[in-house]
C-alpha cells in the first residue's frame, strides 16, 4: 500500500482505505494475537485490521513482539493512543503511537 500524509493531521494513512496506522510496541507474547488486539483497541473505535509481528533479537532468546493496528477514524486512533500509550499489559509497558515511515531515501 502507498502511504500518503494527510493535510489536516500530517499522520500517515493508507491512500486506498484512509485507515490510520498505529504502532503498538513492547507487547507481551501472549497478547500478540489478532483477536486480543482487536479487543484491546475496539473500545476506542472501529478497527480495520491488525498485524501482529515479532523480531528475533540476535543477542538473546527473546522475541520482540509488536503490532500494527489500523483504525478507520483519526479521532479514534488518537483516543486509543492517549488511553493505551504507557499503560501496562501483563506486566509490560505499551508503546502506542502513529506509525511513521522510516524508509531510507
Amino acid at each position: 500500500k502507498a502511504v500518503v500524509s494527510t493535510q489536516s493531521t500530517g499522520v500517515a494513512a493508507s491512500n486506498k482505505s484512509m485507515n490510520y496506522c498505529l504502532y503498538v510496541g513492547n507487547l507481551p507474547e501472549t497478547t500478540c494475537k489478532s483477536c486480543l488486539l482487536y479487543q484491546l483497541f475496539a473500545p476506542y473505535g472501529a478497527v480495520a485490521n491488525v498485524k501482529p509481528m515479532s523480531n528475533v533479537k540476535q543477542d538473546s532468546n527473546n522475541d520482540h513482539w509488536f503490532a500494527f493496528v489500523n483504525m478507520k477514524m483519526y479521532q479514534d486512533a488518537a483516543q486509543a493512543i492517549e488511553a493505551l500509550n504507557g499503560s501496562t499489559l501483563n506486566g509490560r509497558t505499551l508503546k502506542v503511537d502513529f506509525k511513521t515511515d522510516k524508509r531510507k531515501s
Side-chain angles (χ1 to χ4, degrees):
K1 290 183 180 179
V3 174
V4 296
S5 179
T6 60
Q7 291 180 7
S8 63
T9 63
V11 174
S14 163
N15 67 353
K16 185 174 182 180
S17 60
M18 290 308 294
N19 293 324
Y20 295 89
C21 188
L22 304 180
Y23 166 81
V24 186
N26 202 34
L27 285 170
E29 180 179 358
T30 56
T31 308
C32 206
K33 294 187 169 67
S34 293
C35 61
L36 297 174
L37 290 167
Y38 273 105
Q39 290 174 355
L40 184 64
F41 282 85
Y44 305 101
V47 177
N49 61 50
V50 297
K51 293 183 182 179
M53 306 178 133
S54 76
N55 273 341
V56 177
K57 292 185 177 181
Q58 299 290 336
D59 56 349
S60 72
N61 290 335
N62 296 330
D63 288 347
H64 171 84
W65 290 91
F66 62 99
F68 294 108
V69 176
N70 286 292
M71 300 196 72
K72 294 184 179 186
M73 302 288 294
Y74 172 81
Q75 295 86 350
D76 297 342
Q79 186 179 12
I81 291 169
E82 186 175 327
L84 296 174
N85 187 43
S87 65
T88 303
L89 182 63
N90 294 343
R92 313 270 317 250
T93 302
L94 297 181
K95 166 71 173 141
V96 182
D97 206 349
F98 285 105
K99 177 184 174 274
T100 58
D101 189 2
K102 292 187 177 182
R103 290 183 223 163
K104 296 180 182 176
S105 303

